Amino acid sequence: MSHAATPTELEAYRKQGFFVRPGVLREAELVELRAAVERIHQCINREAERGLAPIEWIDGRRYQDLLGSTVKWEWAEGSREIRSMEPVHHLDSALDALIDDPRLWQAARDLIGAEAVSLFTDKLNFKRPQGAPFPWHQDAPYWAFGCDHLDRLASLQLYLDDASAGNGCLWMIPGSHLHGALPQAEDRGVLGKLYTDVEQLDGSAPLPIEAPAGSLIYFHGDVVHGSRRNRSPHSRRALVFTYQPAGLPQWRLDGPRPISAAAR
Ligand SMILES: O=C(O)CCC(=O)C(=O)O
């Protein structure tokens, strides 16, 4: 069965900078993936407790390199909850196998316009109850140092839980990718440079991407996106995979991560 991007999806990606495929993964698969990400969370907590890795403070926020991943802790003082971490697939075989799933990469391949793709990078967002908002930003400027093929990347976010405006779903500003790299917020410290100054952005109103668990949101590296606080009593977990043409090295881990031959 083909999972190629349809003409309608390609058009939405070109005009809006994103499109949604609702409910692609089944509940049984999501149960396994949620268990995998919670195992990873526990491993990271155990590693942090060994006290070997220094904590880095940036703009008053805590970061730590643990088990080959950069971990952003939830901003609340002393929290042991992970806000997000990257890369992550090297820590669990279920996540590693997902990279090869044609339901994910085939459409990304079409968006990139490559014959074959490999993984560029991946990220895991936990967004626990009361988890902090993620300010408006574009991903491409974040990768700009160290990547010379920003125009050949395509990302997808996989919701592991039902996502709504109330639990901090992703928000997109449709068409914002058409402006290329936008002015960055000047007044928000070191990381402010990675946040987009949306005050200067004319165009469409932001759109909440409310969708059931198992949905995929494909999005362009220049589309402005973010998320709000999770005001629900449950986690809103999500994985983000970014694909690139085959043969190129990963962003954070050594060497290329090709799609397994069996999946092609
Ligand atoms: O899932 C979210 O809260 C937004 C995350 C995001 O935009 C990112 O990780 O770059």
Side-chain angles (χ1 to χ4, degrees):
M1 178 180 175
S2 169
H3 304 284
T6 65
T8 309
E9 289 173 336
L10 290 170
E11 169 99 339
Y13 189 77
R14 195 168 54 79
K15 288 193 172 156
Q16 309 294 325
F18 67 93
F19 63 87
V20 183
R21 282 187 173 176
V24 174
L25 269 72
R26 294 180 295 277
E27 181 56 22
E29 297 173 294
L30 293 167
V31 166
E32 193 192 327
L33 290 170
R34 290 183 200 117
V37 303
E38 294 304 333
R39 274 197 303 274
I40 291 173
H41 200 303
Q42 286 170 11
C43 287
I44 291 288
N45 282 139
R46 276 198 298 275
E47 186 63 16
E49 276 158 20
R50 295 174 69 210
L52 302 176
I55 294 175
E56 197 177 341
W57 291 86
I58 305 177
D59 301 336
R61 317 296 204 199
R62 281 175 303 141
Y63 294 77
Q64 220 168 353
D65 279 332
L66 296 161
L67 302 176
S69 183
T70 301
V71 173
K72 282 189 205 176
W73 296 102
E74 263 302 339
W75 302 155
E77 182 77 31
S79 172
R80 294 176 71 253
E81 295 294 352
I82 298 170
R83 174 181 164 82
S84 72
M85 55 187 285
E86 67 174 310
V88 67
H89 72 272
H90 62 293
L91 296 175
D92 194 283
S93 58
L95 300 197
D96 186 59
L98 198 57
I99 296 167
D100 297 321
D101 192 322
R103 291 174 297 176
L104 276 64
W105 63 258
Q106 275 190 6
R109 181 190 57 186
D110 299 336
L111 301 178
I112 294 168
E115 290 240 324
V117 287
S118 64
L119 186 76
F120 175 66
T121 193
D122 63 327
K123 185 190 269 193
L124 169 59
N125 294 333
F126 280 94
K127 184 89 63 166
R128 299 301 202 195
Q130 291 309 315
F134 205 117
W136 293 118
H137 65 286
Q138 298 171 298
D139 285 344
Y142 170 61
W143 297 316
F145 301 98
C147 173
D148 59 6
H149 53 282
L150 292 174
D151 56 340
R152 306 211 70 200
L153 304 175
S155 296
L156 62 89
Q157 176 154 159
L158 163 63
Y159 283 159
L160 298 178
D161 300 291
D162 294 345
S164 64
N167 72 0
C169 70
L170 201 57
W171 287 68
M172 293 279 177
I173 303 189
S176 50
H177 66 302
L178 298 171
H179 302 282
L182 284 159
Q184 290 154 351
E186 293 294 340
D187 55 349
R188 300 220 205 136
V190 178
L191 292 179
K193 295 189 183 54
L194 296 175
Y195 299 141
T196 309
D197 186 355
V198 288
E199 299 297 318
Q200 297 193 40
L201 183 62
D202 275 343
S204 315
L207 204 66
I209 311 297
E210 300 190 298
S215 300
L216 299 175
I217 301 112
Y218 287 86
F219 62 102
H220 190 282
D222 281 331
V223 77
V224 178
H225 60 288
S227 66
R228 298 183 177 173
R229 185 174 298 285
N230 180 357
R231 301 200 180 279
S232 83
H234 307 291
S235 297
R236 191 236 73 189
R237 293 158 290 192
L239 283 162
V240 182
F241 287 175
T242 303
Y243 289 95
Q244 64 182 352
L248 295 167
Q250 293 173 81
W251 162 249
R252 293 287 310 278
L253 295 172
D254 286 341
R257 167 56 173 88
I259 299 304
S260 107
R264 274 184 254 136

